[in-house]
Amino acid sequence: MRSHFAHEIPFIQHRRQLLGLSVVLVALAVVGLVARGLVFGIEFQGGTEIDFTNTGSVTIAQMRDALSDAGEKDASVQTTVSDAKSGFLVRTGTTDPSTANRHAAAAAKALGLTSENYTVTTIGPDWGSDVTRSSALAFCIAIALIIAFVSVRYEFKMSITAVVALLHDLVITLGVYAWTQTPITPNVVAALLTIMGYSLYDTVVEFNRVNENAKQLRDGVHRTFHQITNFSINEVIVRTINTTITAVVPVICMLALGGSTLKDFAFAMLVGELLGTYSSFAVASPLLSIWKTSEKKWKRLEEKYGWDAVDTPSEPVAAKDAE
């Protein structure tokens, strides 16, 4: 693949603005996590989920009253649509299956519904604890393996900046879930772990070009690490955009046409894929470039050949194959 641009897009020259935007997004995500908190599905905290379907003209107020009369005083009720028919998704803290079924049957009877209009899923607190523990363990192992792989394949500084970009993506994604109060389910956790791989892929593609250009590029124009990094991003940015579009299209289809299970997964994937693309050139590469420029060799070149050290702009990007 060749660069599609006659002139370089100045990503690294605008590194402060890009990193500043990321700081704002992370801050908003943290505010959402603190102020609103995450809503966890019953798989994590235990409880009962009652899926009412084809409920006709039943209103949400009538559903809440029927559940309250049946013994579920603090039930969470959401409206749903399945096969163009209205329904309700009810979540309660009841962990005893027989009690949950009795309450669901009583509510259905009060609303004139039959046993065919609802399904009850009950999960005990022990199973939820196991899911939480397994998810946390999978996340920690993934982070450790990423640091080890990138450190061995490239260098330690690249592994740390890659992980920072990855955490940036995950925190903002969780912030979106906090602000929208979308429940965190095992499908969302699976999507978050998938996002880690996607985010790392984009970052490693750019780091690979930066690493090779830092060793081999001798064009007389790109001398500093900032300049080399910017040139490397421009080489692969079209490939990154094409990859993102290819990945996002089926996710949007799942989000638009899939059932509730697929939508849980697709929503997290959509947010994460877009963030993963952004963070590769707006977070990971700028942070690496700033860190590397503090090294003695690159600092000296920056002082001599950096954008602030010369009056003439860089020459156009030379067409070059990007791996």
Side-chain angles (χ1 to χ4, degrees), residues 44-97:
F44 289 97
Q45 57 188 8
T48 293
E49 188 173 272
I50 309 171
D51 187 12
F52 287 93
T53 58
N54 194 18
T55 53
S57 60
V58 175
T59 67
I60 192 169
Q62 290 173 326
M63 177 60 70
R64 286 200 177 102
D65 290 341
L67 289 166
S68 180
D69 293 341
E72 296 292 356
K73 303 295 184 181
D74 299 316
S76 169
V77 183
Q78 293 177 303
T79 58
T80 62
V81 176
S82 178
D83 296 328
K85 296 178 180 178
S86 59
F88 299 92
L89 183 62
V90 177
R91 293 185 177 91
T92 75
T94 303
T95 56
D96 179 64

Side-chain angles (χ1 to χ4, degrees), residues 297-318:
K297 168 190 172 182
W298 295 111
K299 185 177 181 179
R300 185 172 64 251
L301 290 171
E302 183 66 30
E303 291 172 350
K304 186 175 181 180
Y305 299 111
W307 289 305
D308 296 333
V310 294
D311 295 325
T312 56
S314 299
E315 294 178 14
V317 176

Side-chain angles (χ1 to χ4, degrees), residues 1 53 90 94 139 145 154 168 173 198 241 252 264 277 292:
M1 185 183 73
T53 58
V90 177
T94 303
F139 175 78
L145 290 176
Y154 299 103
H168 161 278
T173 302
Y198 184 88
I241 292 172
I252 292 175
D264 285 347
T277 299
K292 290 290 289 183

Side-chain angles (χ1 to χ4, degrees), residues 123-141:
I123 295 177
D126 292 340
W127 195 86
S129 298
D130 290 340
V131 171
T132 303
R133 194 161 42 248
S134 299
S135 300
L137 180 61
F139 175 78
C140 292
I141 291 174

